[in-house]
């Protein structure tokens, strides 16, 4: 099963909006026969790839797979039919498919055909691997991760006029807040995501590229999403200069001349309803639109105002906060989240299931504001 999970990860950034799935076939003695993993372009599901590789050896074999085999017709036929036809004897699956069209039905079909089925082997690892798919397939929204790099006292930049790092990444004058190791890991987070979002203030201050620089293959370019209420995105910014059908700007007010100037450069501009009295676009509406575009996961990389908007609208599923062993202090430094803030401790966003990571001198806190599987269960119940 660990091998199946490792194989599944080979589909990272290549399987979306489908789940990442790996499959291993062994004979009755436990010896390896074949394996496979899924990518969206290849269409074939992991278990079918493994079956084709195995040929006649699949008869009587045991399948290890990190996700319940599908029992419905989608882009391919039902995988359970192929498994039954190949006359495998046993299936070990890490988790049920959260897709309501499948959930439990694949196992039922296999058992009805006389195939032994065992569930929940390494379930926790499997659930984490496909948490974005789980939320997307049921709720039709991307899994949102709020990421920031900051000092120990929660500052993402010195006072304006010093370093210009809104991303907690570092500007032209003041250097980086976080370490090289932490910044390398941020690229991994980007690679795991379908989209990345910042506010236009971050673009004006930092002129970032917002690209996946891991060099690893991906099916779709990382979608760069900008919250820009009044279309202030500078035409000379690196984002605009490097657009390749991968830049989407959400605004509340669209001056026609500026809109045309952006669209003429290949940038998609979409107007959404107001989300706040000061004219910011409605973040929940944006997430619904991204779901329509089959974006299953998105990382938010700040500014302070966007961070607060995401928290205030309860749009954040998980956090990944990097801390450097530095203290900026002072009231002028930029906090992780600005805005009104929560007024009582009882109202504060509560982070659960925390994992700590170490990156050189820095550490990071990973945790959940919403368990995507709990949200899926609640949504189904309603």
């Amino acid at each position: 099963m660990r091998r199946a999970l490792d194989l599944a990860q080979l589909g990272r950034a290549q399987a979306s909006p489908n789940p990442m799935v790996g499959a291993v076939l062994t004979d009755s003695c436990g010896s390896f026969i074949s394996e496979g993993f899924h990518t969206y372009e290849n269409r074939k599901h992991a278990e079918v790839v493994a079956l084709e590789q195995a040929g006649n050896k699949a008869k009587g074999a045991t399948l290890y797979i990190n996700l319940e085999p599908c029992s419905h017709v989608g882009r391919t036929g039902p995988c359970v039919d192929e498994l039954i036809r190949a006359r495998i004897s046993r299936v070990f699956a890490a988790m049920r498919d959260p897709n309501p069209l499948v959930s439990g039905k694949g196992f039922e079909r296999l058992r009805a055909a006389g195939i032994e089925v065992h569930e929940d082997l390494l379930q926790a690892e499997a659930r984490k691997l496909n948490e974005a798919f789980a939320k997307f397939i049921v709720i039709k929204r991307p899994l949102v991760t709020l990421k920031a790099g900051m000092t120990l006292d929660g500052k993402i930049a010195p006072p304006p006029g010093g370093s210009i790092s809104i991303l907690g990444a570092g500007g032209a004058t003041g250097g980086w807040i976080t370490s090289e190791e932490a910044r390398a890991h941020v690229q991994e987070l980007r690679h795991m995501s379908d989209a990345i979002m910042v506010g236009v203030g971050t673009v004006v201050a930092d002129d970032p590229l917002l690209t996946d620089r891991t060099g690893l293959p991906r099916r779709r370019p990382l979608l760069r999403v900008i919250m820009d209420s009044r279309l202030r995105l500078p035409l000379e910014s690196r984002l605009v200069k490097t657009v390749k059908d991968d830049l989407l700007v959400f605004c509340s007010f669209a001056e026609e001349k500026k809109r045309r100037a952006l669209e003429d450069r290949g940038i998609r501009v979409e107007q959404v309803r107001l989300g706040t009295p000061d004219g910011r676009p409605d973040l929940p509406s944006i997430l619904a639109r991204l779901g329509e575009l089959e974006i299953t996961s998105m990382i938010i990389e700040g500014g302070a105002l966007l961070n607060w908007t995401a928290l205030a609208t309860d749009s954040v599923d998980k956090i990944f906060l990097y801390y450097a062993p530095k203290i900026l202090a002072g009231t002028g430094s930029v906090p992780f989240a600005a805005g009104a803030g929560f007024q009582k401790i009882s109202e504060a966003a509560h982070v659960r299931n925390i994992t700590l990571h170490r990156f050189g001198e820095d550490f990071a806190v990973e945790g959940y504001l919403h368990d995507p599987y709990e949200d899926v269960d609640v949504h189904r119940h309603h």
Side-chain angles (χ1 to χ4, degrees):
M1 187 61 82
R2 291 208 179 279
R3 176 61 185 160
L5 284 161
D6 288 346
L7 285 165
Q9 294 202 55
L10 296 176
R12 198 177 290 291
Q14 296 189 83
S16 177
N18 287 352
M20 290 175 276
V21 186
V24 176
L25 281 174
T26 66
D27 64 20
S28 55
C29 302
S31 298
F32 170 85
I33 298 174
S34 65
E35 63 186 25
F37 68 96
H38 175 64
T39 60
Y40 190 85
E41 299 299 345
N42 184 21
R43 282 183 178 257
K44 289 177 184 172
H45 290 188
E47 54 271 54
V48 172
V49 175
L51 285 174
E52 288 181 355
Q53 220 181 81
N56 293 333
K57 292 180 186 172
K59 184 181 176 184
T62 298
L63 170 71
Y64 294 86
I65 190 164
N66 62 294
L67 189 72
E68 175 184 6
C70 70
S71 55
H72 71 300
V73 176
R75 294 171 77 230
T76 66
C79 292
V80 290
D81 292 353
E82 300 290 335
L83 295 168
I84 292 165
R85 200 173 296 127
R87 299 174 69 186
I88 65 162
S89 62
R90 289 191 304 170
V91 172
F92 285 88
M95 64 177 280
R96 292 195 168 208
D97 191 331
N99 185 346
L101 294 174
V102 179
S103 192
K105 298 183 183 79
F107 292 149
E108 283 172 24
R109 292 268 300 279
L110 292 170
R111 287 183 176 119
I115 296 170
E116 201 180 300
V117 177
H118 302 269
E119 299 181 48
D120 302 340
L121 179 62
L122 301 185
Q123 186 195 62
E125 291 95 323
R127 283 163 72 96
K128 181 161 187 179
L129 182 68
N130 277 312
E131 61 191 10
F133 170 75
K135 180 172 183 186
F136 169 75
I137 201 64
V138 177
I139 303 176
K140 306 304 181 196
R141 302 281 190 282
L143 183 89
V144 175
T145 300
L146 183 58
K147 168 262 158 184
M150 64 187 89
T151 58
L152 288 178
D153 55 336
K155 308 292 188 179
I156 60 173
S163 162
I164 53 171
S165 169
I166 302 293
L167 292 175
T173 56
W176 302 94
I177 287 179
T178 51
S179 67
E180 199 175 317
E181 293 94 330
R183 298 198 305 276
H185 186 258
V186 170
Q187 294 301 321
E188 289 181 38
L189 280 190
R190 288 183 182 183
H191 183 67
M192 291 161 60
S193 304
D194 289 342
I196 180 171
M197 173 184 273
V198 298
V200 72
T202 297
V203 181
V204 171
D206 279 10
D207 194 19
L209 271 173
L210 305 178
T211 49
D212 170 3
R213 295 193 278 281
T214 59
L216 298 169
R218 46 186 313 137
R219 183 176 80 85
R220 304 180 283 185
L222 180 67
L223 182 66
R224 301 178 290 177
V225 181
I226 314 300
M227 282 265 272
D228 184 2
S229 54
R230 296 176 187 275
L231 291 186
R232 292 193 296 127
L233 181 64
L235 295 177
E236 65 279 6
S237 65
R238 295 200 296 169
L239 281 173
V240 173
K241 286 178 178 173
T242 57
V243 67
K244 289 179 183 170
D245 193 32
D246 59 352
L247 188 54
L248 177 53
V249 177
F250 287 103
C251 65
S252 314
F253 311 96
E255 191 218 347
E256 201 51 42
K257 188 180 172 188
K258 181 64 180 285
R259 181 179 191 139
R260 269 202 311 274
L262 292 171
E263 290 177 339
D264 286 347
R265 287 162 173 80
I267 297 161
R268 285 181 279 169
V269 178
E270 296 197 12
Q271 194 165 338
V272 294
R273 67 189 181 90
L274 293 179
T276 58
D278 61 355
R280 293 176 187 280
D282 183 59
L283 186 52
S285 297
I286 289 173
L287 295 178
R289 176 63 182 135
L290 292 172
E292 290 172 3
L293 296 173
E294 296 192 322
I295 297 298
T296 68
S297 56
M298 183 172 75
I299 181 171
I300 293 178
E301 290 203 13
L305 288 171
L306 177 54
N307 290 346
W308 166 243
T309 299
L311 290 166
T313 55
D314 200 23
S315 298
V316 180
D317 295 296
K318 64 185 290 188
I319 53 122
F320 217 108
L321 304 181
Y322 300 81
Y323 289 88
K326 299 166 185 173
I327 297 171
L328 268 172
T331 53
S333 300
V334 183
F336 156 62
F342 297 109
Q343 300 303 302
K344 301 175 186 171
I345 290 291
S346 59
E347 295 170 355
H350 188 181
V351 183
R352 299 172 174 83
N353 301 330
I354 284 173
T355 307
L356 298 179
H357 305 269
R358 193 72 190 261
F359 301 102
E361 282 195 319
D362 301 348
F363 68 93
V365 179
E366 177 186 13
Y368 293 81
L369 274 68
H370 294 288
D371 179 330
Y373 291 95
E374 278 181 20
D375 283 0
V376 161
D377 290 341
V378 168
H379 191 88
R380 274 203 195 119
H381 180 70
H382 288 307

